[in-house]
Amino acid sequence: MKSYISYLIPLLFFFSSCDSFLEEYSQDLTYAKTAADLDEILIGDGYMKVPENNAGIGLGSSDGYYFPWLHVMDDDITQINTGGTWIGTVFTEFANFYLWSEYPYTREGEEVEDSDWKRLYKHISAVNVILSKTEEMHDQPEKLERIKGECYFLRGMYYFYLANIYAKPYAKASAATDLGVPVKTTEYIEDVYFKRNTLQETYARVIEDLTEATRLLKGKEHKTVYRAGFYAAHALLSRVYLYMEEYEKVLASTDTVLQGGYTLLDYNQRLALVVPDQYGNIRDGVSVTYKDSPETIFSQGGYCFAGQYNMSVMDMSNFNVSDDLIGMYSREPGNDLRFGSWLGIYKDPYNPLYLVKKLVDTRDGMVSSECLLRLPEVLLNKAEALAMLSREDEARDLIEELRVKRVKQGTYVALDKRAGEKLVELIRDERRRELCFEGHRWFDLRRYAVHSRYPYSKPIIHDQYFYNNTTWQLEYLGSYRLNEYASEPAYVIPIPRSVIEFNKGNMVDNTARPQREMFKRF
């Protein structure tokens, strides 16, 4: 029988993909003799790659951006153009995600390889091999412990992303029976077909790995936000526990991170020099998510919004910030500095006004738009946990602590004494304003829908346009609807068909997603 793992996370592919480095050792790591050797392999094959500056943003790439389509399925974004020029290229790539199609990994009717599934399992395969190899080494025990800690962190993170992409959101009432993803923690190839673990088993692996990472990384030297550290492990743990509604454990991890010396940026100071041009464009603004920010805890992978045409979303010039998200910045009192400076504004005489995610300033060091841990998230995780534990005054104080750094000086007004569901709604709204386009919104909408105490779901409507190259006008084609979660299988990305077919019924098939009908709303 062919090994399932050689197909799902092919070790031969893993080794052949990095021949230029491993040929110095051997394809079975026989010549990796020291902790330094393993550290190099960890950097090269354990961590997400940062794409080259000219890397395309699309499907099926083994060296491009990781799941950039995560940004186009939710209610924070809308499509603005597509057409007969290069300007429509990215929309063509992501149209089936934006329109929640039956099988989104297709391009113009042709199926495309799901490189995200393949790459995440490839990273897991790499760290499994490295963890096994550390047991054979005895030099530099402190360094080996740090390497092991980073491996556990990465494996926990990858299984967390896999579960939230390819499985239902975690719900306490059904996690023991809901299907998660296949979990493998050994380095050797097994001559079996693998099945999907339950969601509870998948999350248990995530928690166990991240907990072990905190043990091994505690007190270890941490030189860069591009490598996992003790506080990064606790920050991610706080996110995982939040998804699981384990609120006391959320507080334990967030309180640990808050001892790490991270501080909030004051946007009144950071954005003081931002000056719009004659059209109101903010072209040379100051980034607020960057490597050396006092808020940044950890980052890996690329930033798919950076370096693109006219500061537009992803060159992703085909996509705009939605009116729904724009409206969020005026829902609370005060002049929110994130609006029009952090997001940025672009307009010219030939195009409509639109808002876009602010370019990262590469001089300060780029961070990821999909895999980033920042202090504001930790504060929001803690505030949500406090609210759920009826410690509402403390939750409001944390939101005030964040908002006072985000609202223009002289316009800040203290929030009213909201409680219960209204306070939870405020925290969720603040989370949306603060963390937009950092890979959170789609996952948050999923978990809100199955929340045991304050469930929330909404239909999302995405409009589709065509850019007429002759008239230079946008032409509205129609709209598509994503229903509320309870009646909607498209909140889960299908496991690759090739994986389902290979396993001959051992992997339960994906729940069928409907083929959507366009409708007119204008």
Side-chain angles (χ1 to χ4, degrees):
M1 182 186 296
K2 283 181 71 176
S3 164
Y4 165 84
I5 208 65
S6 69
Y7 178 84
L8 176 67
I9 34 181
L11 288 176
L12 290 178
F13 179 86
F14 158 55
F15 289 129
S16 64
S17 68
C18 50
D19 283 344
S20 60
F21 170 70
L22 288 179
E23 65 188 7
E24 297 179 33
Y25 305 102
S26 80
Q27 291 192 345
D28 62 1
L29 298 183
T30 300
Y31 295 102
K33 297 296 186 182
T34 67
D37 295 339
L38 288 185
D39 206 31
E40 287 189 56
I41 297 169
L42 176 59
I43 294 170
D45 293 284
Y47 282 89
M48 289 181 176
K49 304 294 188 295
V50 178
E52 299 294 332
N53 289 335
N54 60 351
I57 301 175
L59 302 180
S61 173
S62 62
D63 58 0
Y65 293 88
Y66 290 78
F67 36 86
W69 43 260
L70 192 64
H71 301 285
V72 309
M73 297 185 292
D74 60 38
D75 54 350
D76 282 350
I77 208 164
T78 187
Q79 183 245 340
I80 195 64
N81 57 45
T82 185
T85 69
W86 64 270
I87 208 167
T89 302
V90 172
F91 183 76
T92 300
E93 290 289 302
F94 295 146
N96 289 300
F97 286 93
Y98 177 74
L99 303 176
W100 313 291
S101 298
E102 184 178 8
Y103 191 74
Y105 270 96
T106 55
R107 180 193 300 118
E108 298 181 326
E110 297 294 326
E111 190 168 321
V112 179
E113 181 183 48
D114 181 348
S115 58
D116 294 300
W117 171 277
K118 185 175 184 178
R119 288 198 290 174
L120 289 175
Y121 272 110
K122 179 184 169 186
H123 288 312
I124 290 170
S125 176
V127 299
N128 285 344
V129 171
I130 294 168
L131 283 170
S132 173
K133 194 67 178 177
T134 60
E135 300 304 316
E136 304 172 14
M137 296 184 179
H138 305 288
D139 72 307
Q140 297 182 280
E142 283 284 306
K143 190 168 187 176
L144 285 171
E145 277 202 352
R146 193 256 305 155
I147 290 169
K148 290 170 65 175
E150 291 185 42
C151 285
Y152 282 116
F153 171 88
L154 292 171
R155 191 170 70 184
M157 173 172 274
Y158 296 144
Y159 276 126
F160 175 75
Y161 275 100
L162 285 164
N164 280 278
I165 292 170
Y166 299 102
K168 292 180 179 180
Y170 187 96
K172 282 189 172 184
S174 58
T177 55
D178 287 339
L179 291 175
V181 296
V183 173
K184 187 175 189 296
T185 59
T186 54
E187 80 287 0
Y188 48 82
I189 297 176
E190 298 178 73
D191 192 25
V192 297
Y193 290 109
F194 274 52
K195 298 181 179 180
R196 295 173 67 175
N197 290 71
T198 67
L199 204 53
Q200 188 172 78
E201 291 168 340
T202 306
Y203 266 73
R205 168 49 50 197
V206 173
I207 292 297
E208 185 174 339
D209 281 352
L210 293 179
T211 301
E212 183 67 358
T214 64
R215 184 186 72 82
L216 291 165
L217 293 172
K218 186 174 183 180
K220 301 299 189 298
E221 184 181 13
H222 184 235
K223 293 182 178 181
T224 174
V225 298
Y226 300 136
R227 300 289 293 267
F230 174 71
Y231 296 112
H234 271 292
L236 185 54
L237 262 177
S238 76
R239 185 190 299 180
V240 178
Y241 282 134
L242 188 69
Y243 282 34
M244 298 174 71
E245 299 186 41
E246 298 283 353
Y247 297 121
E248 292 288 358
K249 293 177 181 178
V250 173
L251 297 184
S253 282
T254 55
D255 286 345
T256 299
V257 178
L258 295 179
Q259 298 171 18
Y262 303 100
T263 58
L264 287 171
L265 280 173
D266 187 340
Y267 283 16
N268 283 281
Q269 297 175 13
R270 180 72 179 169
L271 303 176
L273 300 178
V274 174
V275 179
D277 67 12
Q278 59 179 324
Y279 297 122
N281 302 323
I282 299 175
R283 299 177 182 273
D284 298 313
V286 180
S287 62
V288 294
T289 54
Y290 56 98
K291 171 181 175 286
D292 295 322
S293 166
E295 298 179 350
T296 302
I297 301 170
F298 173 77
S299 173
Q300 66 167 337
Y303 186 85
C304 71
F305 298 99
Q308 304 301 335
Y309 178 77
N310 286 341
M311 292 193 344
S312 54
V313 176
M314 306 187 217
D315 192 21
M316 285 201 169
S317 50
N318 303 154
F319 296 97
N320 288 355
V321 177
S322 69
D323 289 340
D324 193 35
L325 178 57
I326 293 169
M328 294 297 298
Y329 293 94
S330 58
R331 286 188 61 174
E332 300 299 336
N335 183 352
D336 197 316
L337 290 170
R338 290 169 292 199
F339 179 79
S341 53
W342 179 35
L343 289 176
I345 299 177
Y346 179 81
K347 58 184 176 181
D348 67 32
Y350 305 104
N351 290 314
L353 167 70
Y354 58 92
L355 302 174
V356 297
K357 187 68 166 71
K358 194 69 192 74
L359 283 176
V360 163
D361 188 341
T362 56
R363 294 169 297 181
D364 292 334
M366 189 174 292
V367 293
S368 177
S369 50
E370 295 77 45
C371 193
L372 173 64
L373 294 168
R374 290 196 298 133
L375 176 62
E377 183 202 344
V378 173
L379 294 176
L380 289 161
N381 292 349
K382 183 176 181 178
E384 188 172 333
L386 288 168
M388 296 300 177
L389 294 170
S390 300
R391 294 166 59 178
E392 294 176 334
D393 287 342
E394 295 172 77
R396 283 190 294 268
D397 287 346
L398 277 178
I399 297 301
E400 296 274 14
E401 181 182 339
L402 175 63
R403 283 188 59 80
V404 76
K405 302 291 188 180
R406 302 305 192 239
V407 174
K408 187 174 182 180
Q409 198 167 17
T411 71
Y412 184 78
V413 177
L415 298 169
D416 55 57
K417 297 289 186 179
R418 269 167 274 193
E421 188 170 5
K422 291 294 184 183
L423 176 58
V424 172
E425 180 183 335
L426 167 66
I427 294 167
R428 289 174 176 177
D429 286 351
E430 196 60 42
R431 185 179 182 90
R432 186 180 182 189
R433 283 186 284 263
E434 177 67 27
L435 302 179
C436 62
F437 303 114
E438 293 179 25
H440 291 275
R441 182 61 178 172
W442 180 250
F443 293 163
D444 280 342
L445 286 172
R446 286 165 31 97
R447 70 181 180 90
Y448 296 158
V450 299
H451 197 273
S452 64
R453 187 172 173 187
Y454 297 120
Y456 169 79
S457 187
K458 60 183 282 192
I460 301 173
I461 294 176
H462 279 174
D463 300 324
Q464 187 174 5
Y465 293 87
F466 179 82
Y467 184 74
N468 190 314
N469 295 320
T470 303
T471 65
W472 288 17
Q473 297 294 319
L474 289 175
E475 298 177 2
Y476 170 69
L477 298 178
S479 301
Y480 294 80
R481 180 192 304 272
L482 181 74
N483 297 315
E484 293 188 22
Y485 175 82
S487 59
E488 185 56 79
Y491 280 92
V492 177
I493 301 301
I495 288 175
R497 285 172 174 165
S498 55
V499 174
I500 299 292
E501 292 166 2
F502 177 85
N503 282 273
K504 300 178 181 179
N506 289 275
M507 291 269 285
V508 177
D509 204 350
N510 301 298
T511 301
R513 293 159 54 113
Q515 187 62 43
R516 294 175 200 280
E517 298 294 329
M518 178 186 285
F519 67 94
K520 301 284 186 177
R521 70 187 188 105
F522 302 133

